[in-house]
Amino acid sequence: MQTKAYAAYDSTEPLKSFNFERRDLKATDVHIDIAYCGVCHSDIHMAHNDWGMTVYPMVPGHEIIGRVKQVGTEVTNFKVGELVGVGCMVDSCRQCQPCKDHLEQHCEKGMTMTYGSPDAHMPGSFTQGGYSSQIVVDKDFVLKVSEKLDIKALAPLLCAGITTYSPLRQWNIKAGDKVGVIGLGGLGHMGVKFAAAMGAHLVMNTTSPAKGEDAKRLGAAEVLVSSDEKQMQAQAGSFDFLLDTIPVAHSFDPYIPLLKFGKTLATVGATPSDMHTMGLVFGRKIITGSLIGGIKETQEMLDFCAEHNIVSDVELINIQDINQAYERVMKSDVKYRFVIDMQSLQQA
Ligand code: NAP
Ligand code: ZN
Ligand code: ZN
């Protein structure tokens, strides 16, 4: 089916209008009219080919909210008109151990990413994401979302939400734990909300002192400015967990001393990093990574959001404003996630 979109055509040009063919509906597919799509920093990394894997033209977008337009003959759990979400992946092998363990993002054959993966349904082409009017997705990779929450503010839950919820759950964050979120952007602001909702004492670790008040409104108990060495020293050895969302190359060295003995820093940024291992060795500390979350856990996160009334703080834009939004995200000037109103694609 003919689909309107915005795409990156190469690593340096601004995103521009693009038309392409989506696959026809199969028996197990859900056809979704896209209402909103969040703008993740990963979209920018991919558009700019920061990870060296981009095939152009590439339609970014993996924080998708929309309504079911049509379902395949074998789909019983979704109805036409229902509000649904699609996140960072649209398929996996479903046979390997990680897939059986509901960790499809770690599929041994490689998950099919929502955009930028070879498309098994259209050999020779690549999947295309949510900066588009519609998408066709296998029912097992479609999420149910609450109609009670602000619909446009739900979109970022599909990536920023699950990517911060999952490590907080994996590292068993509980009431009273002292947790630091590093970087108050799209992921960071969701990390603050989740950690606070889990009862943690949340410390916002930021390079932008001006974001301090917002951090407290979002749920932070304290604000720690990472460039202020005195402040950093005063908090040394006091954290149970750190979640690092910095999107650019950086050293872990300033952050490791903040952890208590034996505690963990989880990073979600796929960036070059260096560090002195001394701080790890002496404190038996752990640095780990985390990659989105499985479909089952994503549904659990969405249900947690409905229960705790959690959505993203968003700035709504038209698709025609996407390139300025990218510029602002790269300057850390985002409060705290851009979401595209996909109706704007219909404008000339
Ligand atoms: P974002 O909205 O741009 O937020 C990142 C924040 O990091 C900024 O707002 C800024 O916060 C801080 N920051 C920026 N440059 C910095 C620097 N040089 N030093 C220290 N702090 C800096 O980005 P995002 O969408 O949250 O994504 C964050 C990263 O996670 C990206 O690399 C993205 O690709 C990655 N990601 C990973 C996964 C996964 O599954 N692992 C999923 C989604 C995204 P302050 O102003 O508060 O300092
Ligand atoms: Zn993302
Ligand atoms: Zn698999």
Side-chain angles (χ1 to χ4, degrees):
M1 9 183 144
Q2 264 298 306
T3 303
K4 283 189 172 189
Y6 256 54
Y9 284 77
D10 68 32
S11 64
T12 54
E13 288 292 302
L15 272 64
K16 287 193 297 263
S17 150
F18 176 61
N19 291 307
F20 69 104
E21 246 337 273
R22 290 266 186 216
R23 72 168 184 258
D24 290 330
L25 199 71
K26 295 189 298 114
T28 55
D29 280 341
V30 180
H31 175 190
I32 302 164
D33 255 338
I34 302 178
Y36 298 104
C37 186
V39 177
C40 180
H41 206 118
S42 300
D43 299 347
I44 302 176
H45 289 310
M46 282 292 284
H48 294 172
N49 200 20
D50 288 347
W51 296 325
M53 59 194 266
T54 307
V55 177
Y56 299 98
M58 186 272 300
V59 179
H62 57 205
E63 294 183 336
I64 298 167
I65 289 286
R67 292 205 181 268
V68 176
K69 189 172 185 186
Q70 242 185 308
V71 294
T73 50
E74 288 172 28
V75 178
T76 53
N77 54 336
F78 292 102
K79 293 194 173 48
V80 172
E82 192 175 344
L83 192 67
V84 293
V86 176
C88 301
M89 33 178 192
V90 289
D91 213 344
S92 71
C93 87
R94 303 156 196 237
Q95 313 279 322
C96 71
Q97 201 57 50
C99 281
K100 286 183 186 156
D101 292 340
H102 303 286
L103 296 167
E104 301 88 354
Q105 74 275 33
H106 300 296
C107 174
E108 288 170 2
K109 300 242 166 81
M111 65 169 151
T112 304
M113 298 185 301
T114 302
Y115 61 86
S117 281
D119 189 346
H121 301 286
M122 298 181 94
S125 67
F126 284 72
T127 54
Q128 300 287 21
Y131 297 4
S132 59
S133 56
Q134 56 184 351
I135 191 165
V136 177
V137 180
D138 185 281
K139 63 179 171 41
D140 294 339
F141 287 78
V142 179
L143 284 307
K144 293 197 176 266
V145 294
S146 170
E147 294 263 5
K148 288 186 302 186
L149 300 171
D150 178 7
I151 295 175
K152 64 181 182 303
L154 284 172
L157 301 178
L158 277 307
C159 174
I162 184 58
T163 304
T164 50
Y165 180 90
S166 183
L168 292 169
R169 282 293 189 224
Q170 194 200 336
W171 294 93
N172 198 21
I173 298 311
K174 53 188 187 312
D177 284 349
K178 184 169 173 182
V179 172
V181 168
I182 306 171
L184 187 52
L187 269 56
H189 94 290
M190 291 312 305
V192 170
K193 290 186 185 208
F194 286 137
M198 291 170 189
H201 178 92
L202 191 283
V203 181
M204 184 69 238
N205 194 312
T206 180
T207 61
S208 310
K211 291 181 182 171
E213 264 179 44
D214 278 347
K216 290 195 171 158
R217 177 178 55 76
L218 295 166
E222 295 177 59
V223 177
L224 176 54
V225 177
S226 51
S227 56
D228 185 330
E229 274 187 32
K230 263 200 186 143
Q231 279 188 31
M232 292 288 272
Q233 272 165 17
Q235 302 246 12
S238 69
F239 282 82
D240 294 291
F241 183 69
L242 291 170
L243 182 60
D244 178 349
T245 75
I246 300 174
V248 294
H250 64 286
S251 170
F252 293 123
D253 290 345
Y255 305 106
I256 297 306
L258 293 172
L259 290 169
K260 287 179 186 167
F261 158 73
K263 298 298 183 185
T264 299
L265 176 150
T267 183
V268 290
T271 64
S273 288
D274 64 57
M275 63 172 306
H276 297 287
T277 56
M278 189 87 100
L280 287 186
V281 170
F282 275 78
R284 214 166 76 188
K285 293 173 185 175
I286 301 163
I287 293 186
T288 188
S290 195
L291 180 65
I292 48 175
I295 293 295
K296 185 166 176 251
E297 192 175 45
T298 305
Q299 191 62 62
E300 178 193 308
M301 176 273 309
L302 290 166
D303 297 344
F304 181 90
C305 288
E307 187 187 328
H308 293 264
N309 228 344
I310 293 175
V311 288
S312 181
D313 285 31
V314 306
E315 187 173 334
L316 199 62
I317 58 167
N318 288 336
I319 190 70
Q320 293 78 5
D321 302 325
I322 189 65
N323 295 299
Q324 292 95 301
Y326 275 23
E327 292 298 323
R328 282 184 52 196
V329 171
M330 287 189 293
K331 286 189 285 189
S332 299
D333 174 23
V334 49
K335 292 186 172 174
Y336 280 91
R337 195 60 137 187
F338 288 108
V339 169
I340 309 162
D341 181 349
M342 279 306 155
Q343 282 299 321
S344 60
L345 258 183
Q346 305 311 325
Q347 296 165 19

